[in-house]
Amino acid sequence: MPHEPQPQPADELDAEAVRTWSSLALAALGRAREDIDAINVYPVADADTGTNLYLTAESAHRALAEAFGNADRAAAAPTSLPEAVRAWAHGALVGARGNSGTILAQLLRGVADVLGAAPESGRTGPGGHLAHALTRAAEEAYAAVAHPVEGTMLTVAGAAARAGEAASAAAGTAADVARAAYDAARAALAETPGQLAVLGRAGVVDAGGCGLVAVLGALWQALSGQEPAAEPVAGRTAAPAPRPDDPCEQHEEGPAYEVIYLLEASEAAVAELRAQLDRLGDSLVVVGGDGLWNVHVHVDDPGAAVEAGVVAGRPYRIRITHFGDERRRGRGERAQRAVVAVVPGEGLAGLCAEAGATTVLVRPGEAPATAELLDAVRRAHAREVVLLSGGAELRAAAATAAEQARAEGVRVAVIPTRSAVQGLAALAVHDPDGSFDEDVVAMTAAAGATRHGELAFAEHQSFTSAGICQAGDVLGLIDGDVAVIGAGLAETAEAVLDRMLGSGGELVTLVLGPDVPDGVAERLQAHVQSGHLAVDTVTYRGGAYSAPLLIGVE
């Protein structure tokens, strides 16, 4: 939790006031985090709205501190208001979590768009600049949501903006505008159960709106020096609490996955992406601008959602979450055991997610940081976690993440897989009902018994363990070493398969990259069958970011 500064009354927002606002907002969300999680029923009852808002605000505050050059207030270098608000908004954008965090990021972007520029002429009153910022924030948040719904944090943001404009028109100060916005937000939040049926049935106010009230309360405190009420609006209303067997309160319907990623793309490409994702799922929120976007959507086909991002630009920091785990968490349940798998391909990520694993998708040449792996372990929400590291280069990060998770009370075992096919083999024998030690041993044995091959294209002339290759040659790797150099993908793969099956095998797994035609898989299946009648073959699509061909032999 950051140090909470003692705010001094201010007539207008400056860089220091923004930093105070950020610190107070983070502290307020930290205090309210669990309470907000507890009333989270819309759009998915997954009990994470408070956590998502807090983590988004934390990322924003960290970026703001870096803009000042030092988190220590006394030693911080001077920073202008435009620099402060832009850094704050950028930090929220890159760290946005979930539906609510993504909307909060866009609200802060709207604030930055106005406070980072000169005040518009015609704005009356000393609080006009702030009032305009709150209005722009609400407008941009509504525009970012594909299908805005009233009774949510959007409604709260709109009410706050209108009240701020009214206070500004009455020649109110920035503190007056902030107080009016805060009071209006509280009143709007109290009305949300009557606007959104699912809230009324559950007897709660909107969780995202509750978080926004906390942020606006921090704004008023930063400008006035007065502390807002500890609980601006009670989380639960007078409506009766839902019964566990009430069919109206079973929120199992809807898309099965949440997909979030950062995207480098043009505005025109993002417009097409919005239309594509809107056809694929719901709860679509796309925020950002100037070439960097945060994409959030709920879908049944996570691979298609990522593939749409690949078409639009360069997606990264991809997170795919299965709502079965999140809904269980929303009911306050913690699974006994879960699997976290690091995979190099959106098709593989979807395959592992369907098998119940929490996935971390990696791009070629990029590796997830310890924090990303730890986040995946936390999202699994289990007492015991088996972590499939996905590559030798990730073992150190996986080990560190496991150690940190153990300090939080989670029992974690890392299985040092070197290829995605080894992870698939381990996942196939996973037994969530057996003992943890026996499960880990069985999964480790399955991974270790799977020889792994990979086909890649040489980028330049070089010396390999199989001889000299030229740019464009097909390289056949077995257990990480180049074993075959060929001219074509299919014939090279056949040579690799012959070598791998030379020492026996019962099952061949083929994972095809996005540009490999189905005919290659059919040819390889026929090749295996012609020489090894007792060997079965299964084929999967690796999807975007997958290698041209992965081979596993068990």
Side-chain angles (χ1 to χ4, degrees):
M1 192 73 65
H3 168 69
E4 292 187 47
Q6 296 302 314
Q8 299 298 320
D11 291 330
E12 190 60 87
L13 272 176
D14 58 13
E16 191 59 43
V18 168
R19 183 160 62 160
T20 301
W21 179 13
S22 174
S23 181
L24 291 171
L26 181 59
L29 288 172
R31 291 191 298 270
R33 179 176 178 173
E34 292 184 2
D35 290 339
I36 295 175
D37 281 345
I39 63 169
N40 174 201
V41 299
Y42 181 85
V44 177
D46 47 5
D48 65 355
T49 291
T51 298
N52 287 337
L53 287 168
Y54 177 82
L55 293 175
T56 302
E58 184 180 48
S59 178
H61 188 70
R62 186 165 53 247
L64 181 57
E66 292 172 357
F68 271 80
N70 194 311
D72 181 358
R73 294 172 60 83
T79 301
S80 69
L81 176 61
E83 289 174 327
V85 291
R86 288 168 186 160
W88 196 29
H90 180 76
L93 175 66
V94 300
R97 303 294 187 92
N99 192 74
S100 56
T102 308
I103 294 174
L104 176 61
Q106 191 71 347
L107 288 166
L108 295 188
R109 178 180 173 83
V111 168
D113 285 347
V114 173
L115 297 185
E120 285 188 6
S121 60
R123 287 275 165 182
T124 59
H129 202 197
L130 176 58
H132 185 201
L134 295 176
T135 297
R136 177 73 66 82
E139 292 172 346
E140 293 196 5
Y142 267 95
V145 178
H147 302 285
V149 174
E150 294 304 327
T152 64
M153 65 188 299
L154 295 177
T155 306
V156 175
R162 290 189 294 273
E165 292 284 9
S168 170
T173 65
D176 293 333
V177 168
R179 179 57 193 261
Y182 172 55
D183 287 344
R186 295 174 63 203
L189 179 64
E191 297 299 321
T192 57
Q195 296 171 305
L196 196 55
V198 65
L199 301 179
R201 289 195 299 265
V204 298
V205 296
D206 179 65
C210 198
L212 181 56
V213 166
V215 172
L216 291 172
L219 170 62
W220 176 58
Q221 185 179 4
L223 291 173
S224 69
Q226 301 180 51
E227 187 172 350
E231 189 181 15
V233 176
R236 294 196 174 273
T237 71
R243 299 188 309 274
D245 58 348
D246 186 350
C248 293
E249 295 310 317
Q250 302 305 309
H251 303 291
E252 303 301 317
E253 71 280 359
Y257 300 93
E258 178 185 59
V259 178
I260 304 174
Y261 51 80
L262 291 179
L263 177 70
E264 294 177 356
S266 67
E267 199 159 324
V270 168
E272 295 181 9
L273 174 66
R274 287 178 191 268
Q276 175 68 10
L277 293 180
D278 195 28
R279 290 191 290 270
L280 287 174
D282 60 27
S283 295
L284 173 62
V285 185
V286 181
V287 304
D290 301 322
L292 181 62
W293 311 82
N294 191 305
V295 179
H296 170 279
V297 67
H298 297 172
V299 294
D300 281 320
D301 187 348
V306 176
E307 185 65 34
V310 174
V311 173
R314 176 181 175 268
Y316 59 104
R317 293 193 188 177
I318 301 165
R319 299 172 68 242
I320 300 173
T321 302
H322 188 276
F323 277 132
D325 299 329
E326 295 303 297
R327 289 176 176 125
R328 184 190 68 241
R329 178 180 175 180
R331 295 191 292 266
E333 303 170 9
R334 180 181 287 272
Q336 180 60 33
R337 189 174 312 143
V339 176
V340 171
V342 181
V343 290
E346 47 85 8
L348 288 171
L351 183 67
C352 292
E354 289 174 8
T358 297
T359 61
V360 178
L361 179 58
V362 294
R363 293 167 52 93
E366 297 182 359
T370 296
E372 190 172 357
L373 296 179
L374 179 60
D375 176 65
V377 171
R378 289 168 174 163
R379 284 190 288 123
H381 201 63
R383 299 180 183 87
E384 302 167 340
V385 172
V386 181
L387 175 57
L388 304 174
S389 62
E393 70 280 4
L394 298 177
R395 290 181 186 175
T400 303
E403 192 62 33
Q404 293 180 16
R406 291 183 191 114
E408 297 176 4
V410 181
R411 190 179 183 188
V412 183
V414 178
I415 296 180
T417 52
R418 298 181 62 195
S419 170
V421 291
Q422 290 184 318
L424 292 175
L427 195 55
V429 301
H430 169 53
D431 179 12
D433 297 322
S435 77
F436 183 69
D437 291 335
E438 290 175 351
D439 194 24
V440 170
V441 168
M443 294 177 74
T444 302
T450 302
R451 300 192 68 193
H452 58 95
E454 178 178 342
L455 270 71
F457 294 99
E459 297 181 357
H460 48 74
Q461 184 187 64
S462 62
F463 291 94
T464 75
S465 53
I468 300 176
C469 71
Q470 305 296 325
D473 283 348
V474 180
L475 306 180
L477 292 81
I478 299 176
D479 296 336
D481 294 323
V482 177
V484 180
I485 300 174
L489 187 71
E491 53 265 37
T492 306
E494 289 176 344
V496 169
L497 279 167
D498 288 340
R499 294 199 183 196
M500 294 180 72
L501 289 169
S503 56
E506 299 176 354
L507 175 67
V508 170
T509 300
L510 303 175
V511 180
L512 278 64
D515 300 322
V516 178
D518 292 334
V520 171
E522 294 169 0
R523 174 174 170 174
L524 296 179
Q525 287 175 344
H527 181 78
V528 171
Q529 200 167 39
S530 66
H532 307 273
L533 294 176
V535 177
D536 294 325
T537 304
V538 294
T539 303
Y540 303 111
R541 277 286 176 184
Y545 311 128
S546 177
L549 181 65
L550 297 176
I551 301 173
V553 175
E554 301 175 47

